[in-house]
Structure formats: structure tokens, C-alpha cells
Amino acid sequence: MTEASYSLRATARQLFQLRPATPGRWRTALRSAVCMGMPIFVGWMAGDTPAGLMAAIGGFTSMYGGGRPYLSRARLLAVVALMLGAALSVGLLVGGHPALVVLSVALTAMLATWLSNALQIGAPGAYMFVLAIATGTALPAEHLSWQHAGALVFAGGAFSWLVHMSGALFRPRSPEKNAVVAAADAVADYLAAAGSEESSRTRRQAAFALHQAWAALVSQQPLPARPGSVLVRLREINRELHLRFADAMAKEIRGQALPDAWLDEVRAMGERARNPGRDEVPDGDSSVVPLGHPGALAAIVDALQPGAHPRRVIVRVGVAAVVAGGLGTIFQLDRAYWVVAAAVLMLHQGLDWQRMFQRSIERTVGTWVGLLVAGLVVVLHPQGPWLALTVAALQFTIQMLVWRNYAIAVVFITGLAMTIASGGQALDDPAGYLIARGVDTLAGCVIALLVYRLVPPRAARAALPDQLAITLRAVAATVPFIAAGEVTTPAAKDARRHLLRSTFTLKETYDMAVASSRRQRLSADRAWPAIAATERLAYRTLSVCWSLQRLGKPASLQSAQSMFGATGEHDLQSALELLVAATHGNEPCPVLPPLPAVLEAEVLDVRECLCGEATVTANAG
């Protein structure tokens, strides 16, 4: 069987694969359904159903912010509601001016992609903002001014804000608890898999889950934690999880077996996170503030750095929006925004080629099947409360299915989109309208695939060595703080945070190369030993930081002095500089100076793997 036929068969299988349901998903689906249906019902009661449909666009606010702490969620949803209203208002303003439509939609798509990805606002990301402005350019609501329309969308968003925040009245710390429980489950999976083939995967998942938990407990907390509060207790539990994770990594790297009791302890920590007792007094230093995510400004700036993957995604989205909008204008498509929306939807998340191709097939097939659902709604032409109920039912079904099978969810997404886009009005040519939407979606997906090929990921032969060098430099930047025994200062935390992010990016770069062309996969396969060795070095470095943090002063200073001695820091820094120079295979295999025992095995492992990669590359050339 050829690689292409295998890929097509795998794609076909996923079209019908139903993944396990997420516990409690029905609550999210019901909340989203209410936020979409209620504005339409209120609009009907007020005698203006099109205005209610306009406000329902603001109901898309309910799709954001899931899992965030409530105060952070409140700020995010308020901004989303404002931006949706602003986007639709701009769409109405430029409607009828083809050149301005293309320019405005493209700029909105690029800006929304940049900020959504940099600030990690989560699904559906930039797509809804692009859909809002694109819909505004052709929405049948001539009786509404752009100011009135924007206010209606914001009102719908405000209602979604209230519904989305209602859980704070009953379980104000449930998002933080859920994050720590998820981290405990991930660490438990790693402990159970340590020493097996699944160790590397579960280690990365545990590191990511702990990082996400710190974000929920620290970065996404607008107000300081009160002493003795649930937040402080959850931070301490998560800190214990991180320390146990660091201990487990250290033992695994040395080839030592993990104590059986550790797994039970981690599971017990997860239970404590579910119900943190008020009489529980943290054993650790509650004043220690964990790492969390970088600040918003730093994340936004990082996304535009030369060679950064987010910047490449922004360029793809902008090119696709201009091309799709331009073709829609040239061919005078009635609702060209469907082409733009479909293209942006494929590109804005920055997926690799394999996943994007899978998503485009799912979107196209789901849309064409969904035209039957849309056709039924158009023919029945529900009005008033029946229209509100139809939209709510479709949204509920979408939210229940979208994580289980995207292709099936798209069937109902198409029906919902057609219903809202019609503005509640009867259509003169329903069949032509529906077929045109199917063609538009197909055209948007094709444009996205072509643009991806036009602006591909950086070649693995360049991207992987560059990211290896970045990660090794991040290790080197952390070493001085370890050697000084000062791992909790703001500068030290910045260095540790940068090291963790670099490690995640290294694995993401590898994954994208593996999912790209055959040549990219071959380069990635040759680089994998060095990538795995660098990952182990990075995690070992972070583990040492957490061990020193647990000791506290002055014990951490004494421990650092014993680990590094008089020249250990200088020798380790010199070795890391030599390894950075060797990452591209252009330098001879470096001779390293004597190293301190604390990271000696990991550094030598990186050297061995890099030298092997350099030899393979030279022989291949």
C-alpha cells in the first residue's frame, strides 16, 4: 500500500470515527444553545426577528473562555463581545465596496489570528471574528444602521457573558480545581508509564498539564490570592505535583525505579484538589509564586519574531483572505464571505498539512451533507419561537458533536450558518442558494490548501536545528540561576518559563515536520535522537530548579555550590555554547570540557546525538 493511499484511508476512517464524549459536555452545549436561541426569541417578541438574529451573532461569545477562571473569563468574554460587535459593524460599513471588503476582511483575519493564537484564547479562535465581519458585508438587515447592528451583537454578547459567568455563583473555583485535577491525572499517567515506550509522550503531557494548571492558578488570576484561600491551597497541591514530577524525572533519567507509593500519593493529590479542605494547612511556602504563562505583551511580541510559526500562520491567513475575497469579487459571488470564512477556518489554527487536509475533507463533506439539513430548515422556514428553538437545537447538537466528530458536527454547523445568514427571510431560490454555499466552502478549502503549499512551514532541515539551538540557549540562560541557588527571582522564573516554552516549541516543530512532506519527515527522523536528548536535558534542568526551590534558602545556595564547585558553571556554559554551534552540523564534533555531575549525563547524550546527526547529514550530502 502506498503512503498516499494509506493517508486517504486514514482520512476516510476518521470521517466516521466517534471519539469518547467529554464528561459534562452537555452543560456547555446547553449554555451555548440558550445564548444563541434567546436573542432570537426576544427579537421576535419585540417584532423584529432580523434584529434578534443579529444579536444571536453575539451569542457566539459563549463559545469562548471555557475552562478559564471566572475573573479572567469575565475580561475575555467582555472583549470578545466588543470585538464581535465591532467586526460586524465594520462589515456593514464597507459592504457594497468590493475593494474595501477584501481589505477589511483580510486585515481582520490577520489581526484576529495574531491575537487569538498569541493570547491562547482557545477555540474557535479567530474564526468567529472573521465570520462576523464577513457576514456583515452581506447580511439582509437594511433597516439597521451599523451602530444599531453593532449594539445588538454586543447585547447578545452581554447576555452570553451573564450566562457564561453564572457558574461563579455556585462553584467559583471549579475551573482552577479542574485544572489541578487534570494535572494530577497527567502526572499519574507519567508515573505509571515511566520506563516504558509511553514515557516520553506522557512526560510531555504531564509537563503541559502542569503548565496549564499554573496558568489557571497564577497568570489568569487578576487579583492576589488571600492567605488560606482555596486558591492558595490549590497552588500548594499543584506545587507538590510539580515536585513529585521533578523527582520522577530525575529518577527515570538515572535509570532508577519509581516507588510504588508515589502513584497513590499523586492520585490522593488529585482527590485533595477536588475537595481542598478549609482546615488543610499547606506544608510548603505559600508565598512562592509559580511560573505560569508569559505576560500578554510578551506573547504578542513573540508571535511576530522572525521565523516564528505564528507569524507564518498570520501571513497564510492574510494571503488566503485576499485571494478568496478577490476571487469572490471577480466572479461576483452573491455571498463571497463564505469562501473567505472557509479558507480562514482551515488556516487560522496553524495546523500541520496532514491535519489541515483532514479538516478540509471533513469540512467539505460535512457541508455538502449539511445542505440537506439546511434545505429542510429553509423549506420549513420556521418563524418566531420555532426559529429560536431551531437555532438553539442546532447549536446544542454542534457543541455535543464538535469534539467527537468534526465532520458530523459540520452537518449541523452548515444548517445553523444557513439559517442565520438568511436573516429569517424566505429565499427566492433555495436550491441555488444552498448549492452556491457548498461550492463556496469547497473553493475556500481548496484555496487554503494551495496557500499552505505557497507558504509552507520552514523546512525541517532549517527549523529543527534552529529550535534545537534556541532550546540549548534557554538551558544555558537558566544555568547561572541554578549555580547561584537563586531559582525563584523574577529573572530566574522568566528563564525557566522560556526554557519550558522552548521545549514545547521544539516538539511542535518536530510534529509539524513529521506531518509534512516525505523529505521533511526524513529530516525530522534523522534529527529525532538529538531532539529527544535535548528534551531530556531541558526537563532535567527544570527538575533541578524545582529541587532547589523546595530546599529554600540557605540550603539551595549550599546545594548549588556543591553541585558546581569553582568552575562548574563556566565549564557547563562553554559546553552548551559548543553544542549550539554543532546543531546545524557545520562544525566538527566538539570536545567538551569537564562537566559538573548534575547535568553531565544529559549534556554528553546531546553531544553524542548531535554528532551522529552531523555524520548522517554529511554522508547524505
Side-chain angles (χ1 to χ4, degrees):
M1 183 186 300
T2 65
E3 184 178 0
S5 62
Y6 175 81
S7 178
L8 288 174
R9 289 196 179 198
T11 298
R13 278 199 306 270
Q14 292 210 20
L15 285 175
F16 305 101
Q17 180 182 359
L18 200 63
R19 287 173 284 276
T22 305
R25 183 66 185 177
W26 66 270
R27 297 187 186 89
T28 302
L30 182 61
R31 179 180 65 210
S32 185
V34 170
C35 292
M36 293 293 296
M38 187 58 70
I40 300 173
F41 180 75
V42 172
W44 170 73
M45 291 287 292
D48 195 344
T49 300
L53 283 163
M54 188 78 71
I57 294 175
F60 288 128
T61 301
S62 65
M63 299 172 69
Y64 293 88
R68 279 181 173 254
Y70 281 110
L71 286 178
S72 174
R73 186 183 305 185
R75 296 192 305 182
L76 173 64
L77 296 182
V79 172
V80 168
L82 282 169
M83 295 307 296
L84 285 173
L88 187 128
S89 297
V90 171
L92 287 174
L93 274 173
V94 301
H97 305 282
L100 287 178
V101 167
V102 173
L103 179 62
S104 300
V105 172
L107 289 176
T108 299
M110 296 175 72
L111 181 63
T113 299
W114 174 31
L115 297 180
S116 298
N117 291 343
L119 300 179
Q120 300 181 355
I121 70 172
Y127 176 63
M128 288 304 168
F129 303 105
V130 176
L131 188 62
I133 185 172
T135 301
T137 64
L139 200 64
E142 293 79 5
H143 67 295
L144 297 175
S145 66
W146 66 268
Q147 299 98 323
H148 189 187
L152 285 171
V153 173
F154 178 71
F159 175 71
S160 295
W161 187 96
L162 291 172
V163 174
H164 217 324
M165 292 295 297
S166 61
L169 299 174
F170 310 101
R171 297 183 300 168
R173 289 297 183 187
S174 61
E176 292 92 335
K177 292 179 183 179
N178 293 337
V180 178
V181 169
D185 291 342
V187 173
D189 290 342
Y190 167 63
L191 294 180
S196 70
E197 293 181 355
E198 292 294 303
S199 175
S200 179
R201 179 185 62 82
T202 55
R203 181 176 63 244
R204 284 192 296 270
Q205 290 177 342
F208 185 75
L210 285 166
H211 192 53
Q212 292 296 99
W214 284 137
L217 296 171
V218 180
S219 304
Q220 296 172 0
Q221 296 293 331
L223 300 177
R226 291 180 291 103
S229 64
V230 172
L231 180 58
V232 168
R233 293 195 292 274
L234 289 172
R235 283 180 178 176
E236 180 57 29
I237 294 171
N238 207 52
R239 180 173 176 270
E240 292 176 23
L241 284 170
H242 212 139
L243 292 172
R244 180 60 70 221
F245 177 57
D247 291 341
M249 284 193 298
K251 281 188 173 292
E252 186 188 24
I253 288 171
R254 299 188 193 104
Q256 300 172 353
L258 305 187
D260 294 335
W262 283 9
L263 184 58
D264 294 333
E265 290 175 6
V266 166
R267 287 172 176 163
M269 292 177 199
E271 290 302 317
R272 285 167 50 204
R274 287 186 175 91
N275 299 287
R278 292 188 175 276
D279 56 345
E280 180 182 325
V281 180
D283 296 328
D285 182 5
S286 300
S287 66
V288 174
V289 179
L291 301 180
H293 280 299
L297 182 59
I300 290 172
V301 173
D302 285 348
L304 296 181
Q305 295 303 308
H309 177 62
R311 190 169 79 165
R312 194 168 293 262
V313 174
I314 295 168
V315 172
R316 284 187 199 138
V317 165
V319 172
V322 170
V323 171
L327 290 178
T329 301
I330 293 172
F331 291 102
Q332 297 182 343
L333 299 180
D334 183 34
R335 285 177 170 85
Y337 65 84
W338 282 105
V339 185
V340 179
V344 171
L345 178 62
M346 294 300 104
L347 294 167
H348 77 98
Q349 291 178 299
L351 302 177
D352 55 61
W353 170 260
Q354 185 174 320
R355 286 186 293 171
M356 198 183 73
F357 182 76
Q358 173 77 34
R359 182 59 60 89
S360 66
I361 296 296
E362 292 172 339
R363 185 76 189 187
T364 302
V365 172
T367 295
W368 279 91
V369 176
L371 292 178
L372 300 176
V373 176
L376 179 63
V377 175
V378 169
V379 170
L380 294 177
H381 189 49
Q383 291 293 292
W386 295 109
L387 177 61
L389 185 61
T390 299
V391 169
L394 288 171
Q395 181 68 1
F396 179 85
T397 306
I398 291 166
Q399 292 301 309
M400 289 298 294
L401 288 172
V402 70
W403 298 111
R404 303 192 67 189
N405 186 295
Y406 182 72
I408 298 176
V410 170
V411 172
F412 300 95
I413 291 172
T414 301
L416 177 64
M418 299 289 104
T419 303
I420 293 178
S422 68
Q425 301 176 6
L427 301 175
D428 297 331
D429 182 15
Y433 172 75
L434 295 174
I435 292 174
R437 300 297 73 79
V439 173
D440 292 343
T441 298
L442 176 60
C445 290
V446 171
I447 288 171
L449 293 172
L450 291 175
V451 169
Y452 186 95
R453 286 305 191 190
L454 180 66
V455 189
R458 294 183 63 209
R461 293 176 65 87
L464 284 173
D466 285 351
Q467 191 56 46
L468 275 170
I470 290 172
T471 307
L472 290 171
R473 289 193 187 101
V475 172
T478 311
V479 166
F481 300 105
I482 299 176
E486 296 281 352
V487 295
T488 58
T489 64
K493 288 179 179 177
D494 284 342
R496 293 163 64 186
R497 185 186 297 116
H498 177 60
L499 175 56
L500 186 58
R501 287 165 53 210
S502 299
T503 308
F504 291 153
T505 304
L506 178 61
K507 182 57 171 59
E508 290 168 1
T509 304
Y510 170 79
D511 288 341
M512 294 202 65
V514 169
S516 298
S517 66
R518 183 174 181 273
R519 181 178 297 179
Q520 297 258 49
R521 285 194 293 275
L522 290 175
S523 294
D525 288 341
R526 288 195 296 267
W528 171 245
I531 293 169
T534 304
E535 272 191 336
R536 286 194 293 271
L537 172 60
Y539 284 127
R540 174 61 177 151
T541 305
L542 292 168
S543 173
V544 173
C545 290
W546 275 100
S547 298
L548 291 175
Q549 181 170 330
R550 177 169 52 183
L551 290 174
K553 295 180 180 179
S556 63
L557 178 59
Q558 296 173 354
S559 178
Q561 290 173 344
S562 66
M563 285 190 294
F564 285 88
T567 63
E569 178 188 353
H570 177 269
D571 292 339
L572 183 55
Q573 291 279 30
S574 299
L576 291 170
E577 289 175 8
L578 292 170
L579 292 178
V580 168
T583 52
H584 289 79
N586 299 323
E587 299 291 334
C589 190
V591 177
L592 304 183
L595 298 171
V598 60
L599 294 173
E600 180 181 19
E602 292 75 31
V603 171
L604 292 177
D605 192 19
V606 172
R607 174 192 177 276
E608 180 180 348
C609 294
L610 282 175
C611 289
E613 167 63 8
T615 302
V616 171
T617 302
N619 292 339

